[in-house]
Amino acid sequence: MSAPKIPSDQLAQVIDKTGGPIVYKRIPVQAPGPDEVLINVKYSGVCHTDLHAMMGDWPLETKLPLVGGHEGAGIVVAKGQLVGNDIQIGDHAGIKWLNGSCLSCSYCRQGEEPLCAKGLLSGYTVDGTFQQYAIAKAAHIARIPKHLSLESIAPILCAGLTAYKGLKESEARPGQTVAIVGAGGGLGNMALQYAKAMGLRIIAVDGGKEKGEACKALGAETFVDFQTSKDLVKDIKAASFDGLGPHAVILFAVSEGPFQQAASYVRPHGTIVCIGMPANAFIKAPVFSTVVHMIRIKGSYVGNRQDTDEAIDFFARGLIKAPYKVIGLSELQKVYNMMEDMTIVGRYVVDVSR
Ligand code: 8ID
Ligand code: ZN
């Protein structure tokens, strides 16, 4: 394939200072380093993490100025000298949250690269996918088969991957029940589809009629509305069929309450998996019942390269059909406003060309 023409500048959404605003403007296109690729991003999902990054919600500084975004799907247009022949110009590829890692520490060697102390984070410590040309370490790009739609695969690159990994980390087995908290949002919707494909029974927890209907359409057997339930703990336990509570609880909500409630309804010997990261939040559980019920509480953080391929494979086999809406990159702030108002059902994907 002849080398595509790469412009010297491009449109991007740029954060100049923590707290925002984002500014839609022209910035230079960067050249990839020796072990990197340059990807012409076509579509990028918008994750709540992008909003946390802009607002400075977490005890980890971002680069500034910053181009956010870490669910980018596009086409490889340039590669550094050290990149092998297994990546060709014209290949379809994804940029995910983990933009790169050292590949030689004990975590990287064991397939736990998200734990690498030298990890680079797309749209956080390095520029991400809310621009037309984005860079990633070649070893970490997601390989996207060419017959798959770049628009619909974009949300798999973080929401799908993270939800799938969280379900694996829960160790819930086919036939067992998981409570998915924050099920109406981007990660939650994906978790519903992966859980269904993995043979799990699902209790979805979120707020509002629209999210309730969406959750049921995506595979939830029961929907518990946290905004109207008078006794959430009782309702979730009752929804677990034998009344003992779900075998696993996966927490995607961007509020602290669920992180302090889950231990009250998870089943004895059950597992609580924390994935959502609300600002300044703490997990709380009574020591006595955590001990005598042998409860496990753990975190789960994106996924490794193998998890990425597996998550894409579920999608490629037609098992993952979480809803998304497309909007121009120029309208990113509107997505953030809806996210803050909790009115997004599923995911927004930005079309980076407009
Ligand atoms: O690797 C990771 N751990 C990882 C990866 C990607 C994203 C973690 N995250 C984090 C994000 O940074 C964010 O904190 O997961 C969280 C969820 O991301 P998202 O799915 O992109 O957010 P969303 O689309 O806004 O969905 C959040 C849902 O939570 C519901 C909301 O109604 C919304 O549907 N929710 C809230 I806020 N409070 C709730 C409550 N008390 C609740 N649902 C149930 N009970
Ligand atoms: Zn994300």
Side-chain angles (χ1 to χ4, degrees), residues 9-338:
D9 67 359
Q10 58 166 342
L11 279 163
Q13 285 282 14
V14 183
I15 300 164
D16 287 309
K17 62 176 191 335
T18 300
I22 35 170
V23 184
Y24 189 53
K25 63 179 176 189
R26 298 204 80 86
I27 60 167
V29 172
Q30 307 289 335
D35 58 347
E36 294 174 339
V37 295
L38 181 68
I39 293 180
N40 176 203
V41 182
K42 299 294 185 190
Y43 295 94
S44 180
V46 185
C47 181
H48 208 116
T49 293
D50 301 314
L51 181 56
H52 290 305
M54 180 168 87
M55 301 315 290
D57 281 345
W58 296 339
L60 177 67
E61 281 191 11
T62 68
K63 92 177 256 293
L64 282 174
L66 173 71
V67 177
H70 59 274
E71 276 185 356
I75 300 168
V76 177
V77 289
K79 62 180 208 178
Q81 299 145 347
L82 298 177
V83 178
N85 285 334
D86 61 325
I87 298 176
Q88 298 288 347
I89 306 298
D91 283 357
H92 290 192
I95 296 185
K96 50 192 178 52
W97 174 248
L98 197 69
N99 188 281
S101 72
C102 80
L103 299 175
S104 62
C105 70
S106 65
Y107 293 115
C108 284
R109 288 202 304 264
Q110 295 180 106
E112 292 183 320
E113 61 263 20
L115 304 178
C116 175
K118 293 182 181 153
L120 304 172
L121 310 176
S122 306
Y124 205 97
T125 63
V126 296
D127 285 342
T129 55
F130 295 149
Q131 57 181 338
Q132 292 166 325
Y133 292 87
I135 288 174
K137 296 288 179 194
H140 281 279
I141 57 170
R143 311 302 181 93
I144 301 176
K146 276 195 179 156
H147 67 281
L148 299 176
S149 141
L150 290 174
E151 175 187 293
S152 48
I153 204 168
I156 301 291
L157 299 169
C158 176
L161 166 64
T162 306
Y164 171 61
K165 178 69 163 184
L167 286 161
K168 288 213 301 192
E169 287 288 308
S170 81
E171 292 177 32
R173 294 194 302 271
Q176 293 187 334
T177 302
V178 288
I180 295 175
V181 183
L187 270 65
N189 267 201
M190 285 286 176
L192 295 170
Q193 289 274 280
Y194 279 97
K196 186 178 162 202
M198 292 160 86
L200 297 163
R201 302 185 69 177
I202 306 163
I203 303 165
V205 187
D206 210 309
K209 198 160 171 274
E210 198 188 350
K211 287 187 183 172
E213 281 164 12
C215 288
K216 287 201 168 165
L218 291 170
E221 288 182 47
T222 328
F223 179 73
V224 178
D225 191 326
F226 82 93
Q227 290 169 338
T228 56
S229 167
K230 294 202 172 57
D231 187 340
L232 198 86
V233 170
K234 188 165 150 243
D235 288 349
I236 294 176
K237 279 190 164 179
S240 73
F241 317 107
D242 61 2
L244 292 174
H247 297 81
V249 181
I250 324 264
L251 297 167
F252 297 107
V254 192
S255 56
E256 191 177 34
F259 291 80
Q260 309 208 336
Q261 255 166 355
S264 310
Y265 58 73
V266 70
R267 190 184 194 87
H269 225 170
T271 303
I272 298 168
V273 182
C274 303
I275 292 182
M277 290 182 273
N280 308 311
F282 286 82
I283 302 162
K284 199 169 163 189
V287 171
F288 180 78
S289 58
T290 303
V291 173
V292 302
H293 290 159
M294 297 179 72
I295 307 300
R296 283 194 302 172
I297 303 175
K298 65 198 290 194
S300 185
Y301 183 42
V302 287
N304 65 19
R305 289 169 291 167
Q306 177 64 24
D307 299 315
T308 306
D309 277 3
E310 290 172 15
I312 289 175
D313 187 58
F314 273 75
F315 174 79
R317 285 184 287 130
L319 297 167
I320 311 299
K321 295 204 172 78
Y324 65 90
K325 290 194 179 112
V326 182
I327 195 169
L329 176 62
S330 57
E331 298 189 274
L332 182 60
Q333 184 59 48
K334 280 191 194 161
V335 182
Y336 288 159
N337 295 346
M338 289 184 277

